[in-house]
Amino acid sequence: MVHKIPENHDHEPLLFPQDFLWGAGSSAFQVEGNVKDSDWWEWEQKALPENYRSGIATDHYNRYKEDFTLAKELGHNATRLGIEWSRIEPKEGIFDQEQIDHYKEVLKYLKANGFTVMITLHHFTNPLWFSQKGGWENRKAPWYFNRYVERIVPELQPYVDLWLTINEPAVYTYLAFYTLDFPPQKKSNWSIVKVAWNMAQAHKRAYKTIHEHIPNAKVGFANSVQSFTKIHLHSLKESIAEWISDLTSNHFFYLLTGMDTHDFLGLNYYTNHYITTPKDKYFPTTLENINGRKEVSDLGWEIHPEGMFDVLMDLSSFHKPIYITENGIASTNDDRRSRFLIAYLKEIYHAIEAGADVRGYFYWSLTDNMELHRGFDPKFGLIEIDYQTQKRIPRPSAYLYKEIIEHNGIPHEFLKFAGHTVNVSDVIKIDN
Ligand code: BGC
């Protein structure tokens, strides 16, 4: 039997709050090219095959005008970009004014084009001199970082609206000192403790420094958040594992810093993890996906939009404004990216309706980029990069996103990708 959709079902677009920020993000190292004074550059020459090295990346350092002009044409009213510490302070204590001026030019260009600007001060890569001194393990690391922040904030202040101190400290710590995908590839639990602590202290100092220069600045960090789903609903072990995973992944850095050094929460949400206990094991383990259950990205990350709703509702308990500082999909199938966008934005819409104070969304990423240790294969961009010619080619999903931005919400006809909006009261009679 074919069910009829109730005639009075909702045909309105899913509207977002007024002044919502719509944009996309990037990190300096992943797009600029030739970041030669950084630890990653030095490491990749030794440790990675040639086609995994950053090289000129997307040459964004020289082509930023083209990239941001495209972003503007695609309707974006905000952007998230990074600056590279190793360019600004290539030698210990020596600051390069030419590089600072370069970033000022970039930011001026963004402002002249009406963008709200979110800047990241640290995104995985370090100056080589800093890592030679022990990097984030060095107990003076927060001091070194603060010296750079102290120098750069007065210069960039007129052009920056939102400041992110550090991108994903938990991911950096985990990949550099546990899975060993990032330099310095040092397996050590003690290093993990030191690095996490020092990054938290660095955030706190930077927060204070930025506020000393700009009393009403808006400062946060980009927190990598994930949702967790236990498979065996009544398993106590899995419940405990779920609780611990959520705490260590989503809340840990807030616990380390305290909540008074966050004017907003920056959240990077991509995917879910399942928690299950394999037959031959006593302790539960996490899985990235369950074969065949849902669509996955080219990196095997499950498309799990409902997790976005869950983390937003959870972290809303801090009563701070929230920005989605990263959310995106690596896919060579751009239809999948369009479905991804609609499905995740729909969950953000519902979270806002349910009380989450979400103020902006930054798709990851504006263009294809150098996906760190994974090289150039994963395609996250709204804009494709032809690496032979460095030509920029907006994908259809970029135009779909543009329409969403123009509507300040998801137009009804897009919802056919994700299901109609039907209110409970359209389907069943509710007696109040
Ligand atoms: C990082 C980005 C990265 C993205 C996709 C995030 O964890 O902040 O730098 O490109 O994941 O892998």
Side-chain angles (χ1 to χ4, degrees):
M1 182 184 142
V2 178
H3 286 277
K4 264 183 78 183
I5 296 172
E7 271 168 27
N8 62 342
H9 80 275
D10 189 356
H11 277 256
E12 299 302 319
L14 305 185
L15 287 182
F16 280 62
Q18 256 189 349
D19 302 325
F20 195 78
L21 299 184
W22 297 100
S26 62
S27 89
F29 192 86
Q30 290 176 263
V31 292
E32 282 185 354
N34 287 326
V35 189
K36 292 188 174 163
D37 291 311
S38 72
D39 60 347
W40 193 290
W41 180 276
E42 204 237 8
W43 171 75
E44 66 185 355
Q45 313 308 316
K46 293 188 304 215
L48 298 183
E50 208 177 321
N51 56 340
Y52 278 72
R53 297 180 198 153
S54 56
I56 64 162
T58 72
D59 197 21
H60 174 77
Y61 188 83
N62 298 307
R63 293 172 196 253
Y64 69 87
K65 283 191 181 159
E66 188 182 348
D67 290 342
F68 293 133
T69 305
L70 267 176
K72 190 176 179 190
E73 282 165 17
L74 292 167
H76 301 196
N77 61 19
T79 203
R80 173 186 172 202
L81 76 164
I83 57 170
E84 186 50 54
W85 181 7
S86 67
R87 281 194 195 278
I88 292 165
E89 192 183 355
K91 302 229 159 22
E92 189 187 342
I94 314 277
F95 291 87
D96 185 335
Q97 190 60 44
E98 228 177 85
Q99 296 299 334
I100 296 175
D101 289 343
H102 167 80
Y103 286 119
K104 282 165 85 166
E105 286 308 308
V106 176
L107 295 172
K108 272 186 206 159
Y109 189 74
L110 284 167
K111 279 291 156 201
N113 282 284
F115 284 92
T116 296
V117 173
M118 176 182 273
I119 211 167
T120 318
L121 301 176
H122 184 275
H123 196 126
F124 297 153
T125 52
N126 302 299
L128 183 57
W129 65 260
F130 173 79
S131 68
Q132 283 167 345
K133 285 181 153 307
W136 288 100
E137 286 190 76
N138 187 328
R139 70 188 161 77
K140 273 186 77 183
W143 184 87
Y144 290 126
F145 183 66
N146 193 53
R147 182 173 56 181
Y148 148 67
V149 175
E150 184 71 64
R151 177 72 178 81
I152 199 75
V153 169
E155 301 263 9
L156 306 186
Q157 159 175 6
Y159 322 105
V160 176
D161 302 285
L162 295 153
W163 302 81
L164 294 171
T165 54
I166 300 179
N167 182 71
E168 299 189 343
V171 170
Y172 173 77
T173 312
Y174 183 67
L175 296 185
F177 298 94
Y178 190 76
T179 64
L180 311 189
D181 290 311
F182 282 11
Q185 293 188 300
K186 179 178 170 192
K187 184 113 180 164
S188 153
N189 291 340
W190 179 231
S191 301
I192 290 177
V193 174
K194 284 191 290 187
V195 169
W197 176 258
N198 285 337
M199 284 189 143
Q201 301 317 305
H203 166 81
K204 286 168 72 169
R205 286 185 77 145
Y207 179 92
K208 203 164 154 266
T209 300
I210 299 169
H211 276 273
E212 275 161 13
H213 288 280
I214 320 160
N216 61 352
K218 294 189 176 65
V219 185
F221 83 106
N223 190 13
S224 160
V225 290
Q226 290 145 76
S227 52
F228 296 93
T229 315
K230 58 179 178 284
I231 296 291
H232 303 101
L233 295 185
H234 300 288
S235 158
L236 189 59
K237 280 188 286 186
E238 290 178 26
S239 300
I240 294 171
E242 192 179 49
W243 186 83
I244 294 175
S245 305
D246 178 67
L247 189 78
T248 49
S249 149
N250 299 351
H251 287 255
F252 192 59
F253 210 65
Y254 299 131
L255 292 172
L256 278 184
T257 56
M259 286 314 291
D260 57 351
T261 57
H262 304 272
D263 300 314
F264 62 85
L265 307 184
L267 305 182
N268 297 356
Y269 177 78
Y270 288 90
T271 192
N272 181 64
H273 292 277
Y274 291 98
I275 293 176
T276 191
T277 320
K279 278 201 194 85
D280 52 340
K281 296 260 158 46
Y282 181 74
F283 286 112
T285 178
T286 50
L287 298 176
E288 278 202 348
N289 53 56
I290 294 178
N291 220 0
R293 170 132 199 253
K294 288 183 167 206
E295 278 189 296
V296 294
S297 77
D298 291 352
L299 296 175
W301 301 357
E302 189 177 89
I303 299 175
H304 196 95
E306 58 272 39
M308 173 70 94
F309 180 87
D310 294 343
V311 294
L312 284 174
M313 293 322 290
D314 176 36
L315 294 169
S316 286
S317 56
F318 287 124
H319 303 294
K320 304 255 180 186
I322 296 175
Y323 294 89
I324 307 300
T325 36
E326 282 181 35
N327 170 242
I329 178 170
S331 186
T332 49
N333 177 341
D334 194 55
D335 288 339
R336 193 166 280 172
R337 189 175 344 270
S338 292
R339 285 199 296 278
F340 176 99
L341 264 170
I342 294 164
Y344 278 70
L345 286 171
K346 188 167 182 285
E347 295 295 327
I348 296 170
Y349 167 83
H350 289 302
I352 295 171
E353 291 286 291
D357 183 9
V358 187
R359 307 263 177 108
Y361 175 82
F362 295 86
Y363 176 82
W364 186 268
S365 54
L366 178 61
T367 63
D368 288 339
N369 64 15
M370 205 286 279
E371 264 304 309
L372 304 158
H373 59 296
R374 297 192 178 93
F376 290 90
D377 283 345
K379 306 294 183 198
F380 273 94
L382 289 170
I383 300 170
E384 179 189 344
I385 302 280
D386 174 344
Y387 287 106
Q388 300 301 318
T389 59
Q390 289 290 351
K391 195 165 182 269
R392 275 66 175 145
I393 311 149
R395 295 193 162 104
S397 56
Y399 295 107
L400 176 123
Y401 187 42
K402 181 180 185 186
E403 275 209 40
I404 291 176
I405 299 171
E406 279 167 2
H407 282 83
N408 196 37
I410 311 172
H412 173 258
E413 58 272 26
F414 287 0
L415 293 174
K416 62 176 177 257
F417 291 110
H420 273 73
T421 311
V422 181
N423 292 319
V424 182
S425 58
D426 294 329
V427 185
I428 55 167
K429 194 167 174 302
I430 300 175
D431 291 320
N432 287 318

